[in-house]
Amino acid sequence: MAERMVAKQAPRFEMEAVLANKEFKKISLEAIMKEDKWTVLFFYPMDFTHVCPTEITALSDRYDEFEDLDAEVIGVSTDTVHTHLAWINTPRDANGLGDLAYPLAADTNHKVSGEYGVLVEEEGVALRGLFIINPEGELQYQVVNHNNIGRDVDETLRVLQALQTGGLCPANWKPGQETL
């Protein structure tokens, strides 16, 4: 039986990443928590694929909205930081990412993707998992889907805003609407 993760402390992580300024640096959940920020952690299968850049660039294009909600966004795959950087340095019109507003982390030992339950072990890649973690380190939201389906940035922002209300949000709740 799979173990529940939501409403528990999120697995802590520290990974090497390519930052928005293209420098390599270790990033960690603990550091984000110390800044009293929310974490939007998303996993994707591989660099230089077809669906992944659509998600990664869509999140980057709307990064200011996450920043306004005191949230850090981190993308993770099992590729290396060097592969991440090569993909970032590839223009969008050539199936690259171009400049990004948030870091891409390298889970080369598969530890973090395994702890978050998204590792496809036989392939060594992650499923498309998205996790929202509050500033206290509690996992508030998770969704995992097949690798051939991209995620929706509007829905990620909506869920983050709903969680931040601290209230009960009915079906189809939108920011600005009353909670229950």
Side-chain angles (χ1 to χ4, degrees), residues 10 17 21 27 35 56 59 65 69 74 88 93 95 101 119 125 130 142 174 179:
N21 65 6
I27 57 172
E35 293 179 12
I56 294 167
L59 282 160
E65 294 174 64
L69 295 169
I74 302 170
I88 290 166
D93 62 5
N95 198 36
L119 181 64
V125 300
L130 184 128
Q142 81 175 57
K174 300 277 190 258
T179 57

Side-chain angles (χ1 to χ4, degrees), residues 102-120:
Y102 60 85
L104 290 184
D107 182 29
T108 55
N109 63 7
H110 306 174
K111 182 178 188 287
V112 180
S113 53
E115 288 177 343
Y116 277 83
V118 297
L119 181 64
V120 180

Side-chain angles (χ1 to χ4, degrees), residues 14-158:
E14 181 178 88
M15 292 176 280
E16 192 73 22
V18 179
L19 305 182
N21 65 6
K22 300 183 182 179
E23 291 180 7
F24 297 142
K25 182 180 178 187
K26 286 198 184 281
I27 57 172
S28 70
L29 180 57
E30 292 290 334
I32 297 168
M33 290 169 54
K34 286 180 184 172
E35 293 179 12
D36 200 33
K37 293 188 175 194
W38 290 73
T39 303
V40 176
L41 179 70
F42 75 94
F43 294 84
Y44 65 94
M46 285 188 272
D47 295 347
F48 294 100
T49 56
H50 299 289
V51 176
C52 298
T54 66
E55 293 185 303
I56 294 167
T57 58
L59 282 160
S60 184
D61 291 346
R62 300 200 42 207
Y63 180 74
D64 290 348
E65 294 174 64
F66 289 97
E67 219 173 22
D68 290 345
L69 295 169
D70 288 325
E72 290 292 334
V73 176
I74 302 170
V76 183
S77 82
T78 57
D79 292 304
T80 68
V81 289
H82 302 287
T83 306
H84 290 342
L85 182 59
W87 202 22
I88 290 166
N89 285 333
T90 303
R92 288 186 181 188
D93 62 5
N95 198 36
L97 300 176
D99 291 337
L100 292 181
Y102 60 85
L104 290 184
D107 182 29
T108 55
N109 63 7
H110 306 174
K111 182 178 188 287
V112 180
S113 53
E115 288 177 343
Y116 277 83
V118 297
L119 181 64
V120 180
E121 292 178 19
E122 58 276 10
E123 296 176 31
V125 300
L127 291 169
R128 293 188 196 286
L130 184 128
F131 302 84
I132 299 178
I133 304 162
N134 74 13
E136 291 76 41
E138 183 180 299
L139 185 59
Q140 299 278 298
Y141 176 82
Q142 81 175 57
V143 62
V144 180
N145 55 280
H146 196 281
N147 281 337
N148 60 0
I149 303 166
R151 289 161 282 202
D152 187 302
V153 177
D154 287 330
E155 177 62 3
T156 302
L157 284 162
R158 185 192 76 84

